[in-house]
């Protein structure tokens, strides 16, 4: 069982992991917090981009010797493979932590991942700690892993004829690998954010076949894609595979006649969150299968 202190550390790890959204792909956005043997946070870190240190190594570097006998709290099962960087499970073993808490298990490890190796090294392992909360950040990456294509978000302002450059939608860019602008331009959500050789922005336009378009986006290294604007060719092309819609609804007087067809979320999506800022409302909806449809 995780202690309240450890749960707080996991939520912190989840929070900082989100800073990697938009730049870690094709790697996952991961966060890690190190507690010393008394439960005091002594280091934290997240993964920024492929080729850079993983979250665990960044957190251990910050903690230094204070990690010994302590606990590593990490949002994804530590890796067990030699990629561009040595496996994190070895870094945790070398740092002599006594306990590792993980939220989400890495489906690519096939049961032979970091968790098993850590246990074999005598380290206490807890799996599934705040898994649902960690999925708020890791969900789209896992979705991409499962489906073999990017997680696609379509964002627009309800009722707008000209919504390219809308401020609310613009802010979403930096948490997505690729953005398809209303004029068809494809660009990184964070320009240059993925580093030089891990990522290749595909050529626009994407053509008129959804499967080929998805393939091009996947090959680029994208795990998340944002389509901007109501009147976007890409939205028409990929509408059947959009996973999430984000709709900004401008402020309205208390009594009015709806004038636009796109004032709410499309059919086939259900609301999962609503935030309001003054009269402005943001709807977030996910694709549903089954009776809610
Ligand atoms: Zn790693």
């Amino acid at each position: 069982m995780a202690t309240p202190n450890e749960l707080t550390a996991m939520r912190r790890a989840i929070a900082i992991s989100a800073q990697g959204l938009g730049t870690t792909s094709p790697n996952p956005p991961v966060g890690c917090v190190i507690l010393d043997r008394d439960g005091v946070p002594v280091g934290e870190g997240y993964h920024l981009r492929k080729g850079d240190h993983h979250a665990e190594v960044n957190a251990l570097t910050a903690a230094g010797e204070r990690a010994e006998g302590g606990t590593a709290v990490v949002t994804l099962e530590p890796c067990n493979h030699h990629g561009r960087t040595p496996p994190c499970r070895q870094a945790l073993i070398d740092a002599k932590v006594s306990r590792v808490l993980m939220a989400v298990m890495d489906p690519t490890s096939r049961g032979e991942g970091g968790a098993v190796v850590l246990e074999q090294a005598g380290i206490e392992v807890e799996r599934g700690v705040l898994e649902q909360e960690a999925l708020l950040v890791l969900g789209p990456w896992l979705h991409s892993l499962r489906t073999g294509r990017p997680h696609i978000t379509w964002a627009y302002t309800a009722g707008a004829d000209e919504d390219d450059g809308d401020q609310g939608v613009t802010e979403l860019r930096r948490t997505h690998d690729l953005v398809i602008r209303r004029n068809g331009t494809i660009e990184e959500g964070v320009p240059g954010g993925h580093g030089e050789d891990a990522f290749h922005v595909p050529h626009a336009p994407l053509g008129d076949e959804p499967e080929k378009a998805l393939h091009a986006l996947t090959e680029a290294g994208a795990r998340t894609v944002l389509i901007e604007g109501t009147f976007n060719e890409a939205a028409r092309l990929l509408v059947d595979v959009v996973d999430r819609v984000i709709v900004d609804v401008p402020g309205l007087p208390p009594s009015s006649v709806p004038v636009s067809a796109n004032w709410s979320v499309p059919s086939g999506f259900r609301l999962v969150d609503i935030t309001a800022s003054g009269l402005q409302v943001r709807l977030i909806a996910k694709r549903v299968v089954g009776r809610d449809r």
Side-chain angles (χ1 to χ4, degrees), residues 26 144 148-150 178 202 212-223 225:
S144 170
R149 64 168 182 81
L178 283 176
K212 281 189 180 171
L214 285 173
H215 184 74
L217 296 167
T218 309
E219 285 295 294
R223 299 296 176 263
V225 172

Side-chain angles (χ1 to χ4, degrees), residues 28 50 108 123 148 197:
K50 186 176 178 180
T108 63
I123 294 172
D197 42 341

Side-chain angles (χ1 to χ4, degrees), residues 54 56 79 88:
H54 290 183
E56 299 92 320
C79 64
C88 291

